[in-house]
Amino acid sequence: MSTQIKFGTSGWRAIVADEFTIANIRRATTGIAKYIATQPAPHRVLIGRDPRFLGESFVAEAASMLSANGVTPVIISDPAPTPAIAYAVRQRKASGAINFTASHNPPEYNGIKFSTPDGAPALPEVTGKIEAAIAALGDQVPAASTKQEKYEEIDVKPEYLARLGELIDFPAIKKSGIKVVFDPFWGAARGYSCHILREHGIETATVHDYRDVLFGGHAPEPDDHLLGACKEKMKETGAAIGIATDGDADRFGIVDGDGTFIQPNYIIALLFDYLVETRGWRNGVAKSVATTNLVNALADFHKVKLYETPVGFKYIGELINQDKIAIGGEESAGLTIRGHVPEKDGVLAGLLVTEMMAVRGKSLGVQLKELFAKVGSFYPNRENFRLTPEVKTKFTEKVKSDPHELGGRKVSSVVRTDGLKLLLEDGSWVCYRLSGTEPVVRVYTEARSEDDMEKLSKAAKDWVLA
Ligand code: VG1
Ligand code: CO
């Protein structure tokens, strides 16, 4: 039986030498080629990658399969951020992009993200067609082209950095005199953020900005517990901010001047407030159901329309394309802004936070306190539980139910945008969903006081696993 190739929340992901084999890569890329053939010409597809081991070979394999199926491959010569690839697809009017990345997953993984001509992650209606084309191949492994072909190669870095130059106020950062530490986590953003900051005369130190195809043996995820080196470097250099990115640089991690990690939830809220106040962008704001209600409170405060989407950036990308929002973000550290690609951009996020700090002349901690004073305090949290068959059965049953209370709190409404979200009478909430990128159940909670956090998380966990 051949592997079922499914494009989950954000592409297909698997372990190399387990399911991410050459045979399956050939099946997947042939399916993509067959889908492209049904689309308007020109049938040109960009192929890129993050810096994971074997990425280059996978790109070559994909190029040969596309070519064998009448689609012209265009190779992105170096590892590149997912948002830079997205931007290149749009700029170059390509039919799409195949991006070999497993994003924040550990080094033994790889994956394929597919974006459409607008630079957005493919929507389910597209990935559904690709999956069907792959399934139609059955167990048959398509043959690779035997021709020794030379394909067009491109460098996407200059155009993408030029675009960032239009979106970020670098002179304001320079004027503030703040110093920055950049931690690309050995990932696709290596040489990106530091390059443009230095080009504008902003003092920038780096960590993990060298080649390691195994990401130092870690999952390339810019989470608090993995940002030790970044924090050290900040102390050493007196930097006011640390900006990190994940394996494919679509996510960010931010460290405040005093070494405190600032949750992505809060970063999205802070930037939303900043864009409304300084750029007057009031067209709308979007967040996934699992993202903090601090954003909802701010939307009320600023009288800006709020969109709540399922998890997965493709839904936010759609709203960006329609110019319905100033900013859209997910608690998992993905965001983009008006006029930019409909793809999350960790490089842009880090630079925009740096601009916000420079313009406001205040630490992020102080800005967050001010935000809480303005619209109330919110304490979000997320926990993952391994998806054993037993957990799966319980979860499936629970998400179908209509509970009236959770841990002694009355449920005031039930939302089913993605999984199950219970809004509780005291303004706290819990949300349950199956991850589309890892074998886990995600339990998101948000309390209204710091003290209540632990109690609420325990009640939320007990309810779904009982
Ligand atoms: C996770 C995050 C989601 C994100 C997706 C892809 O999905 O929750 O917000 O868009 O990863 O991120 P899930 O289904 O596992 O919860 V990336 O940086 O891996 O493209
Ligand atoms: Co990513």
Side-chain angles (χ1 to χ4, degrees):
M1 256 277 287
S2 55
T3 311
Q4 213 196 352
I5 294 173
K6 285 213 144 281
F7 288 73
T9 317
S10 185
W12 167 52
R13 281 177 211 183
I15 293 176
V16 176
D18 178 5
E19 292 195 320
F20 206 83
T21 56
I22 294 293
N24 281 334
I25 290 167
R26 287 183 181 167
R27 293 173 60 232
T29 50
T30 301
I32 291 173
K34 294 208 182 296
Y35 163 75
I36 294 291
T38 67
Q39 296 302 298
H43 298 141
R44 281 174 86 237
V45 170
L46 309 191
I47 312 177
R49 62 187 159 103
D50 72 13
R52 280 164 202 271
F53 74 105
L54 296 179
E56 252 176 295
S57 317
F58 297 156
V59 168
E61 204 63 48
S64 135
M65 299 318 294
L66 289 185
S67 180
N69 284 280
V71 174
T72 310
V74 178
I75 301 200
I76 298 169
S77 45
D78 294 303
T82 292
I85 295 175
Y87 186 61
V89 179
R90 202 169 79 173
Q91 284 306 96
R92 291 159 187 270
K93 299 196 169 49
S95 323
I98 292 174
N99 181 7
F100 283 95
T101 176
S103 192
H104 62 286
N105 288 88
E108 63 270 28
Y109 281 80
N110 211 318
I112 293 181
K113 288 188 180 185
F114 181 68
S115 36
T116 40
D118 55 358
L123 285 164
E125 64 202 64
V126 172
T127 51
K129 286 180 190 159
I130 294 173
E131 285 164 5
I134 299 169
L137 299 169
D139 286 340
Q140 167 208 345
V141 176
S145 159
T146 49
K147 284 184 273 172
Q148 281 296 317
E149 288 171 282
K150 188 92 189 92
Y151 307 113
E152 183 190 345
E153 283 203 24
I154 58 170
D155 178 6
V156 299
K157 190 175 173 183
E159 68 206 49
Y160 171 70
L161 291 188
R163 180 70 185 131
L164 292 178
E166 293 162 5
L167 293 166
I168 305 288
D169 189 352
F170 287 102
I173 304 177
K174 161 87 174 133
K175 204 169 129 212
S176 73
I178 61 180
K179 293 181 193 163
V180 182
V181 169
F182 172 50
D183 182 353
F185 247 95
W186 299 280
R190 257 174 45 214
Y192 272 74
S193 310
C194 48
H195 181 123
I196 191 160
L197 284 163
R198 287 174 186 152
E199 210 174 55
H200 285 88
I202 299 148
E203 221 175 290
T204 309
T206 57
V207 290
H208 306 144
D209 193 35
Y210 55 90
R211 182 176 152 91
D212 181 347
V213 297
L214 295 174
F215 306 122
H218 302 288
E221 204 167 3
D223 262 353
D224 195 15
H225 69 287
L226 291 171
L227 287 167
C230 178
K231 293 178 190 176
E232 280 294 304
K233 195 67 165 183
M234 286 174 69
K235 254 199 224 151
E236 196 186 305
T237 57
I241 186 167
I243 55 177
T245 41
D246 78 334
D248 66 329
D250 58 350
R251 299 192 190 196
F252 60 89
I254 307 285
V255 182
D256 205 1
D258 64 356
T260 312
F261 177 75
I262 308 289
Q263 269 213 45
N265 266 304
Y266 294 151
I267 296 293
I268 294 163
L270 283 166
L271 286 179
F272 167 40
D273 184 62
Y274 174 72
L275 292 174
V276 169
E277 288 196 342
T278 60
R279 300 194 187 179
W281 289 0
R282 302 181 157 272
N283 54 335
V285 58
K287 52 159 250 191
S288 74
V289 272
T291 305
T292 180
N293 274 13
L294 175 55
V295 175
N296 305 46
L298 277 165
D300 278 349
F301 180 87
H302 288 303
K303 301 195 174 49
V304 166
K305 187 170 161 64
L306 174 99
Y307 299 84
E308 212 167 84
T309 69
V311 173
F313 210 76
K314 45 194 178 252
Y315 305 105
I316 291 173
E318 257 190 308
L319 294 164
I320 284 285
N321 274 343
Q322 299 159 356
D323 197 30
K324 285 191 174 153
I325 52 173
I327 182 170
E330 295 189 297
E331 56 70 45
S332 59
L335 67 81
T336 195
I337 62 170
R338 188 174 195 175
H340 194 39
V341 278
E343 176 62 277
K344 52 189 188 219
D345 190 337
V347 177
L348 169 97
L351 296 171
L352 191 59
V353 175
T354 310
E355 175 196 312
M356 174 173 75
M357 188 185 258
V359 169
R360 289 183 160 169
K362 290 173 190 165
S363 72
L364 300 172
V366 167
Q367 291 185 47
L368 188 61
K369 267 203 194 117
E370 291 177 357
L371 216 56
F372 280 5
K374 196 150 91 173
V375 297
S377 330
F378 296 80
Y379 298 91
N381 186 34
R382 179 177 83 189
E383 281 180 78
N384 299 325
F385 299 96
R386 248 179 60 85
L387 193 65
T388 58
E390 197 195 340
V391 168
K392 189 163 187 180
T393 312
K394 281 184 184 157
F395 170 85
T396 316
E397 205 179 288
K398 288 286 174 137
V399 290
K400 279 193 258 163
S401 68
D402 260 313
H404 297 295
E405 63 112 55
L406 185 136
R409 300 170 209 221
K410 258 217 195 113
V411 173
S412 51
S413 61
V414 175
V415 179
R416 289 202 155 83
T417 310
D418 189 349
L420 174 70
K421 185 174 182 179
L422 305 174
L423 303 176
L424 306 171
E425 58 180 348
D426 58 353
S428 61
W429 56 266
V430 305
C431 179
Y432 302 96
R433 53 178 289 279
L434 276 185
S435 157
T437 65
E438 295 172 75
V440 295
V441 168
R442 299 205 197 279
V443 179
Y444 309 85
T445 49
E446 181 162 85
R448 295 305 306 275
S449 76
E450 212 165 358
D451 293 345
D452 188 34
M453 189 68 255
E454 226 169 289
K455 224 186 352 176
L456 180 68
S457 294
K458 186 175 180 308
K461 172 184 156 192
D462 288 351
W463 184 79
V464 78
L465 300 181

